[in-house]
Amino acid sequence: MDQSPSNHDEFYVEVIGDTVYGKHLMMTIIISVCLSLAGFFLGREVIFPNIAAEEMIESYSLLLGIVGSVAGLIFNTFLFKPKRKLNETASTSDELSSVYEKLQFDIHEEREAIKNDPVIIQEMKEQGFYDMFMEEEKEVSQDMTSSRKKEDD
């Protein structure tokens, strides 16, 4: 767990690649489990013994427990709003290279993998960031083309 640099002593936890407040995570788990169990036990003890066949009580109760889980999900989405703010700015190839350096990735290796996969190329073009990602690669190939032309002349 990492401690936040803010004035509050809040702890963050990484869950499935996302960072969340530990307190909020525990509250969402508790709320979801309570609503699920409440739905199951309410169905098994109160609702379905009066209206369903004996062999179907457990099945209907399980279904009501699942409804409780979905209700917990909906309740938690309204209770805990996302704290993240996305700022979209135009990135340059240099910014991308510096990010790759910080992450210790080889950008040339990534570019080669992209060039060898037409599906990835198509998706990147549809999303509008293929040119930004391959900008440096284009500059290198243009330089090579212009130097070849000069040699031919």
Side-chain angles (χ1 to χ4, degrees), residues 12-129:
Y12 294 90
V13 181
E14 187 169 328
V15 179
I16 312 173
D18 200 5
T19 306
V20 296
Y21 290 139
K23 182 173 75 174
H24 289 180
L25 177 64
M26 291 305 297
M27 290 299 296
T28 58
I29 291 170
I30 290 169
I31 290 168
S32 296
V33 168
C34 288
L35 288 175
S36 297
L37 289 175
F40 177 75
F41 288 121
L42 186 67
R44 191 176 75 176
E45 302 297 327
V46 178
I47 299 172
F48 297 120
N50 299 327
I51 61 173
E54 181 79 29
E55 61 273 359
M56 295 304 293
I57 292 174
E58 291 291 321
S59 298
Y60 289 152
S61 298
L62 182 60
L63 186 60
L64 195 59
I66 293 170
V67 169
S69 293
V70 172
L73 171 72
I74 293 169
F75 183 73
N76 287 324
T77 58
F78 288 112
L79 188 61
F80 302 110
K81 298 285 183 195
K83 313 301 185 275
R84 183 179 319 149
K85 293 180 182 168
L86 298 177
N87 296 323
E88 290 188 36
T89 58
S91 297
T92 64
S93 183
D94 293 334
E95 291 172 347
L96 187 63
S97 297
S98 69
V99 168
Y100 267 70
E101 264 182 46
K102 288 178 187 175
L103 295 173
Q104 298 178 346
F105 289 148
D106 184 8
I107 194 164
H108 301 293
E109 188 177 301
E110 292 294 321
R111 286 182 175 139
E112 285 301 315
I114 290 168
K115 284 196 286 187
N116 295 330
D117 191 344
V119 174
I120 294 176
I121 291 173
Q122 183 62 33
E123 287 179 7
M124 289 178 75
K125 285 181 178 178
E126 287 173 3
Q127 297 297 323
F129 58 87

